[in-house]
Amino acid sequence: MKNADSLIDVAQIDSTQIDDIYAEVGQWHVNVGEQKIHPKRMPGRWRSVKWWTSSVWLLFFLGPYLRWGDRQAVLFDLPAQKFYLFGLTVLVQDLWILAMILLFFAILLAVVTALAGRVFCGYFCFQTVWTDVFVLIEEWLEGKPRQRQQLDEAPWSLAKLRIKAIKHGLWLLIGLLTGVSFVAWFMDAGELWRGMLALSLPLEASITIGAFVFGTYSLAGFMREQTCMWLCPYSRIQGVMVDQDTVLPAYDAVRGESRGRRKKGQPDDHLGDCIDCNLCVAVCPTGIDIRDGQQQGCITCGLCIDACDSVMEKIGRPKGLVRYDSLNGLLGKTQARWFKRPRVWVYFGILAFSVVGGAWGLATLDGLELKVIHHRQPMFVMQSDGSIQNRYQLKLLNKTDQPLQASINVSGAPGLKAVGVSKPVLLAPSGITAHEVFVRIPAKWLDSDSLQIDFSVSTPLEGINATRKAVFIGPAPSGGS
């Protein structure tokens, strides 16, 4: 039973508007993969949001060209096993910090999915954004969806060959720029371009760029929505990450059914607000029908909402027949607030752990790391003057990109003498330097078979120093067990 105010008085609606809608999208059908999808592009709030969110990928293309002093600001130098993050140099010993950053983004994806579905897929995903750009180029050159379909079906001619050649050339160019931009994060951008122009790129860089050209061209140009529906693992697991309180694009069946086409002069008191125009199917990048409920192919981009709202405006009905809502919201049930959902708190707990861990790691990232290794064979040596000698190997890791002069000091016991610390040690940049030190302590000052001593290393650079405690071993005192 529908309220009287929910009925549509077709006589008061310009029938040509509805006729135009039916004529424009009459050929669209639900995608089952048997033919290429040509999604219709139309303006709207969520289309604008998609363009703004997609713009974050400009960082992918422009980021490698940021400079920090005489080097690239962000560079993942795999051959040298060094990662430059502006003023920080992260070596392989500190990779756990990068692991914390990756954990943060992985759990952030889970949090967003639990709250609002596949937002990443709809607005940020590489496949979604590049496919959108490829379709935009296709529309510029070949026209609206129906024109593109007709061109595909038309016999080959010089005009068709010219349009197709330009389109595929632009697609390949985007694929090339994508591959070059990716490699530029792992190789100095200036050297990369010089190597490309001189045709002297390293083999690994050439293979990587080629793989990105092929992958971008085939996935965004040809497979498109099939990648989202059949290749992407995220679409397979999203079902276990959402619940009845997750906000997703949804069709209000109570308001929309029974759906049906409107005809002038024909009563429609048995019909809902959905006029069965298929415009929501026409604009969907994966070609699904949102009216059939949540499906694997839905990337929650909201374009169907823009389409349906435009139709509601034309027929004089309220917007929101298709809207972002939860299952409980559609059923009129009370929705649990996000802070009352246990899974969200679990996700936020892991997020907090990754943020605190990563922040602590970056804040305590020292430019110099010291390890002290006590030689075990022999544990100690009795000297002719009655002192006890221990031998240590120092591992000095210089995390800066410049050589350093390091002064070594040993303390912690009366009468202690250190051999091998009188001159500064030259530390290689971004590498480990080994140095041996002999420590002697008079036997009379040893009241046990071991005691703690301190090693410290200082450099001319402020804040670049390190300390480490070690154990000095001696013979058991007389009368000991």
Side-chain angles (χ1 to χ4, degrees), residues 347-406:
Y347 291 148
F348 272 117
I350 302 175
L351 272 181
F353 169 76
S354 62
V355 170
V356 171
W360 179 83
L362 292 174
T364 59
L365 195 62
D366 296 323
L368 181 64
E369 187 176 300
L370 169 65
K371 289 186 178 180
V372 180
I373 303 173
H374 189 288
H375 280 259
R376 300 296 183 180
Q377 296 294 333
M379 296 291 289
F380 62 88
V381 174
M382 181 74 74
Q383 299 294 106
S384 58
D385 61 358
S387 62
I388 308 300
Q389 177 177 282
N390 283 200
R391 181 183 176 190
Y392 300 88
Q393 184 178 57
L394 276 56
K395 298 283 189 178
L396 299 137
L397 173 59
N398 177 11
K399 296 182 180 180
T400 69
D401 54 2
Q402 57 183 302
L404 296 175
Q405 293 283 346

Side-chain angles (χ1 to χ4, degrees), residues 21 88 97 150 202 271 398 428 456:
I21 294 174
L88 294 175
I97 299 176
Q150 293 172 346
L271 298 177
N398 177 11
S456 63

Side-chain angles (χ1 to χ4, degrees), residues 46-115:
W46 297 109
R47 164 57 67 184
S48 298
V49 171
K50 275 181 65 69
W51 280 123
W52 281 108
T53 54
S54 299
S55 65
V56 302
W57 280 100
L58 291 175
L59 294 174
F60 171 78
F61 289 99
L62 302 178
Y65 303 98
L66 295 175
R67 307 298 296 180
W68 187 268
D70 59 349
R71 61 171 172 81
Q72 196 165 303
V74 181
L75 177 64
F76 302 95
D77 192 347
L78 295 181
Q81 299 183 340
K82 295 184 291 186
F83 307 98
Y84 298 107
L85 301 174
F86 295 93
L88 294 175
T89 301
V90 181
L91 302 184
V92 291
Q93 291 84 353
D94 301 307
L95 272 182
W96 66 272
I97 299 176
L98 295 180
M100 284 292 174
I101 296 175
L102 293 177
L103 175 64
F104 170 81
F105 284 108
I107 300 303
L108 180 62
L109 183 63
V111 172
V112 172
T113 304
L115 295 176

Side-chain angles (χ1 to χ4, degrees), residues 120-135:
F120 172 78
C121 290
Y123 297 96
F124 298 97
C125 176
F126 172 95
Q127 174 68 16
T128 300
V129 174
W130 265 246
T131 298
D132 216 19
V133 173
F134 276 37
V135 172

Side-chain angles (χ1 to χ4, degrees), residues 368-370 455-458 464-468:
L368 181 64
E369 187 176 300
L370 169 65
F455 286 81
S456 63
V457 180
S458 59
I464 307 297
N465 49 62
T467 60
R468 177 73 69 174

Side-chain angles (χ1 to χ4, degrees), residues 169-188:
L170 291 175
W171 284 2
L172 287 170
L173 177 60
I174 293 175
L176 177 63
L177 292 176
T178 301
V180 170
S181 298
F182 178 82
V183 173
W185 290 93
F186 300 88
M187 177 181 178
D188 184 83

